[in-house]
Amino acid sequence: MIDITLLGTAALLPLPHRALSAAILSCGRHAILFDCGEGTQTAARRAHVNLMRADMIALTHYHGDHIFGLPGLLQTLDVMGRKKPLYLTGPEGLRQALSPIFALAGVMGYELKPMDLPMEGLRLAALIPGWPETARLCAFGTRHRVPSQGYVFTLDRPGRFQPERARELGVPQRLWGRLQSGETVWVGGGPVMPPQVMGPARKGIKVVFSGDTAACSALERAAEGADLLIADATYGENEQQELACQYGHMNFAQAGRLAQSARVKRLWLTHYSQMIDRPEAYLDHARSGFPEAVCGQDGMSVTLQFEEDYER
Amino acid sequence: MIDITLLGTAALLPLPHRALSAAILSCGRHAILFDCGEGTQTAARRAHVNLMRADMIALTHYHGDHIFGLPGLLQTLDVMGRKKPLYLTGPEGLRQALSPIFALAGVMGYELKPMDLPMEGLRLAALIPGWPETARLCAFGTRHRVPSQGYVFTLDRPGRFQPERARELGVPQRLWGRLQSGETVWVGGGPVMPPQVMGPARKGIKVVFSGDTAACSALERAAEGADLLIADATYGENEQQELACQYGHMNFAQAGRLAQSARVKRLWLTHYSQMIDRPEAYLDHARSGFPEAVCGQDGMSVTLQFEEDYER
């Protein structure tokens, strides 16, 4: 079960009712914070989200409206007694971008660990005990005016365990649990591997954060079939498509079309220009491509569960 | 006429209803911002205060809760098209403290000018055209855990012009204006100086910002007779006096007693610990020393005028 909460939906300038970019993905007592604009701490309090749970902050790029909340957040976590390390990741230039932020924040009572995600994505449980074994975070390059990346979070779901197959292979019942959790077991001198006793993989959960980006095939590919796409929708008007592209953003219509092409389940628009007073005024532009498009707003939250779980 | 607005009244941690430390003093189209905690931009929007008017940011010290709003504010002023220079002042270590902030903010389309205030205070009009000739900003050392200073803003008021004295000295009426604005004029080969034609100086306006400080004689002296003292009141309970002193702060009772000793006209309490949910619950402690004490709150504002102006 995954919870996603939008903390801030503003681009460039924070407004009283609209904080700068940040979103959090939580899984039990663990979480990843995506971007951290000025005011993210306060936005999290308003949304009743506990940022102490964040194991990692994943930055989409290093523009001020996405990172200026970091010095204060890092200090606050320290004040609140954090001891567990905090991982920070982002596109090219991470350590250089973090250097003045770490200088401002000063010495912390916990470890700050900048890291690059592996090309094939990071199996979170390998780094941070407590995450489900099948939770994975991948980055993909996006098209902004500076080095930038979006993120794909996936929670895979193995197939059902097939007791009759295990019995056929002579696996004693006490070893079934290990097979189910992905281990190979040894029976009568030979290995039995999980795929031998598990049905076909079932549909998992996939959430995609576009960060700031122009419409691009990398985002479309990354978003393919996502349960939720949180997408740059900086500009409202259809006529602003060229402007959006020039500045490395999307307008509502482009976000809608991309969501449709990628066959996502849900689309949340975010990162509104300060010129957009009421995002709802432009929603139809997004819905012309993707009828279920929703205007993100600060504090908006959704819980995603494995599909069969809904049906119970 | 001077307007003072509290933008944030929180210490250490920003809360949804209480932003971090910042206050602004405006005089017509000019202003000085005192401290700039994270969220100051948004707090100013909520309070309908235009930060573009700020000529100077006066920092009381360099703890994060007083300065982490700077990178965002500096960028926002640039986005809004600022061209006039922005002066920044603060206690010892100013340039070192600003260095990572400037690194984060990047290159601006206006000049950032760190400066130390002269010992005798700064006549603002000498630096920034548009301020009244008699407006002055002074700093005084305070008692915090790091180098810190408070600020005294004064707007002096000359005595009344005495036409009968000018006539006696043979000053033609066309030169009266120059005498009134402080110039010496020449009449029949000899100088006539303003003090010769002006009555005794009248009461001006004085506003004092304590910043973070333990109760100390420097603050008491600086606050003497102030029209408004905005004072550190981090702790509520009387029993926290020793703790307050140890951490370089005051509790409500100390702030009240200091205001009384300094014979100020108004006392606004601010910089509340996150442990203080309702500052009003402790107000009586401050009022036992200074009956007119008021709990500052975000957006609280007052206009101070020369005394006779009230009587009209």
Side-chain angles (χ1 to χ4, degrees):
Chain A
M1 199 172 88
I2 302 294
D3 292 304
I4 298 103
T5 305
L6 277 181
L7 299 176
T9 56
L12 202 59
L13 302 181
L15 302 176
H17 59 289
R18 201 189 286 166
L20 290 171
S21 291
I24 190 160
L25 181 151
S26 308
C27 182
R29 302 169 62 81
H30 293 269
I32 302 171
L33 177 65
F34 295 87
D35 285 336
C36 185
E38 181 181 350
T40 295
Q41 286 187 71
T42 315
R45 279 188 183 258
R46 271 197 298 268
H48 305 289
V49 164
N50 182 357
L51 292 179
M52 283 289 266
R53 292 191 178 170
D55 297 304
M56 179 180 284
I57 302 180
L59 302 170
T60 61
H61 63 299
Y62 310 120
H63 278 155
D65 55 335
H66 294 250
I67 63 168
F68 284 173
L70 282 173
L73 176 59
L74 298 186
Q75 282 198 352
T76 292
L77 296 178
D78 193 42
V79 167
M80 294 174 80
R82 186 185 183 99
K83 295 294 170 219
K84 66 177 181 179
L86 180 66
Y87 295 90
L88 297 117
T89 194
E92 185 195 326
L94 177 68
R95 285 152 191 85
Q96 196 184 340
L98 290 177
S99 159
I101 287 169
F102 289 175
L104 275 179
V107 180
M108 300 284 115
Y110 60 95
E111 217 177 334
L112 291 165
K113 296 192 164 185
M115 65 173 291
D116 303 308
L117 291 188
M119 286 292 285
E120 72 282 10
L122 175 72
R123 200 169 60 83
L124 288 161
L127 193 70
I128 307 150
W131 279 90
E133 285 295 328
T134 58
R136 186 175 291 272
L137 184 68
C138 299
F140 58 96
T142 51
R143 272 182 51 200
H144 198 45
R145 308 193 300 284
V146 291
S148 63
Q149 62 190 28
Y151 294 94
V152 179
F153 173 89
T154 49
L155 189 61
D156 289 338
R157 194 177 193 201
R160 282 185 204 284
F161 180 70
Q162 299 177 302
E164 63 284 7
R165 287 287 300 131
R167 277 192 207 98
E168 279 168 32
L169 294 164
V171 183
Q173 201 161 344
R174 62 180 168 82
L175 296 180
W176 290 8
R178 289 165 65 181
L179 278 165
Q180 281 174 285
S181 66
E183 278 181 61
T184 294
V185 299
W186 291 80
V187 177
V192 176
M193 286 177 292
Q196 296 177 265
V197 295
M198 306 295 284
R202 288 169 288 178
K203 193 193 162 317
I205 292 173
K206 177 173 176 177
V207 183
V208 177
F209 299 83
S210 80
D212 288 13
T213 183
C216 61
S217 57
L219 173 59
E220 192 178 318
R221 275 198 311 276
E224 180 63 35
D227 295 278
L228 172 62
L229 166 62
I230 298 178
D232 181 325
T234 306
Y235 297 97
E237 304 285 1
N238 290 342
E239 294 67 34
Q240 291 174 306
Q241 179 167 323
E242 212 166 303
L243 189 73
C245 191
Q246 184 185 339
Y247 283 102
H249 292 296
M250 292 191 280
N251 65 5
F252 276 49
Q254 288 175 295
R257 284 199 300 274
L258 191 139
Q260 186 195 35
S261 307
R263 292 185 290 267
V264 307
K265 290 244 174 66
R266 294 173 191 78
L267 169 65
W268 286 2
L269 306 171
T270 188
H271 199 263
Y272 309 124
S273 150
Q274 73 275 16
M275 304 303 287
I276 294 182
D277 185 30
R278 286 185 54 255
E280 293 73 17
Y282 304 95
L283 183 55
D284 279 349
H285 298 330
R287 288 191 167 170
S288 69
F290 188 79
E292 297 80 18
V294 166
C295 288
Q297 51 178 292
D298 291 24
M300 181 183 276
S301 192
V302 70
T303 300
L304 299 179
Q305 292 175 294
F306 289 131
E307 281 195 349
E308 287 101 323
D309 293 352
Y310 286 123
E311 294 159 15
R312 271 179 200 160
Chain B
M1 198 170 90
I2 302 294
D3 292 304
I4 298 102
T5 305
L6 277 181
L7 298 177
T9 56
L12 202 56
L13 303 182
L15 303 176
H17 60 290
R18 200 189 285 164
L20 289 171
S21 291
I24 191 160
L25 181 150
S26 307
C27 182
R29 301 169 62 82
H30 293 270
I32 302 170
L33 178 65
F34 294 88
D35 286 336
C36 185
E38 181 181 349
T40 295
Q41 288 186 71
T42 315
R45 280 189 182 257
R46 270 197 299 269
H48 305 287
V49 163
N50 182 356
L51 292 179
M52 283 289 266
R53 292 191 177 171
D55 298 304
M56 180 180 283
I57 303 180
L59 302 170
T60 61
H61 63 299
Y62 310 119
H63 278 156
D65 55 334
H66 293 251
I67 64 168
F68 284 174
L70 282 172
L73 176 58
L74 299 185
Q75 282 198 352
T76 292
L77 295 178
D78 194 40
V79 168
M80 295 175 78
R82 185 185 183 100
K83 294 296 168 219
K84 67 178 181 178
L86 180 66
Y87 295 90
L88 297 117
T89 194
E92 186 194 326
L94 176 67
R95 284 153 193 85
Q96 196 184 340
L98 290 177
S99 160
I101 288 169
F102 288 176
L104 275 179
V107 178
M108 300 285 115
Y110 60 94
E111 217 178 335
L112 291 164
K113 296 192 165 186
M115 64 173 291
D116 302 308
L117 293 187
M119 287 292 285
E120 72 282 10
L122 174 72
R123 200 169 60 81
L124 288 161
L127 193 70
I128 308 149
W131 279 90
E133 285 295 327
T134 58
R136 186 176 290 272
L137 184 69
C138 299
F140 58 96
T142 52
R143 273 181 51 201
H144 198 46
R145 307 193 300 284
V146 290
S148 63
Q149 62 190 27
Y151 293 94
V152 179
F153 173 88
T154 50
L155 189 61
D156 290 338
R157 193 178 194 199
R160 282 186 204 284
F161 180 71
Q162 299 176 303
E164 64 284 6
R165 286 289 297 132
R167 277 193 206 97
E168 280 168 29
L169 294 164
V171 182
Q173 202 159 346
R174 65 182 165 81
L175 297 180
W176 291 6
R178 290 165 65 182
L179 279 164
Q180 281 174 285
S181 66
E183 279 183 59
T184 294
V185 299
W186 292 80
V187 177
V192 175
M193 286 176 295
Q196 296 176 268
V197 296
M198 305 297 280
R202 287 168 290 178
K203 192 190 164 319
I205 292 172
K206 178 174 177 176
V207 182
V208 177
F209 299 84
S210 80
D212 287 13
T213 183
C216 61
S217 56
L219 173 58
E220 191 178 319
R221 277 198 309 276
E224 180 65 34
D227 295 278
L228 172 62
L229 166 62
I230 298 177
D232 180 325
T234 306
Y235 297 97
E237 304 286 1
N238 291 342
E239 294 67 33
Q240 291 174 306
Q241 178 167 322
E242 211 166 304
L243 189 73
C245 191
Q246 184 186 338
Y247 283 100
H249 291 298
M250 292 191 279
N251 66 5
F252 277 48
Q254 288 175 298
R257 285 199 298 275
L258 191 141
Q260 185 196 35
S261 306
R263 293 185 289 267
V264 306
K265 290 242 173 69
R266 293 173 191 78
L267 168 65
W268 285 3
L269 306 171
T270 188
H271 199 261
Y272 309 124
S273 151
Q274 73 275 15
M275 305 302 289
I276 294 181
D277 184 32
R278 287 186 53 256
E280 294 72 18
Y282 304 95
L283 184 56
D284 280 348
H285 298 330
R287 288 191 168 170
S288 69
F290 188 80
E292 297 82 18
V294 166
C295 288
Q297 51 180 294
D298 290 24
M300 181 182 277
S301 191
V302 68
T303 300
L304 299 177
Q305 292 176 294
F306 288 131
E307 282 198 346
E308 288 101 323
D309 294 351
Y310 286 122
E311 295 158 14
R312 271 178 201 157

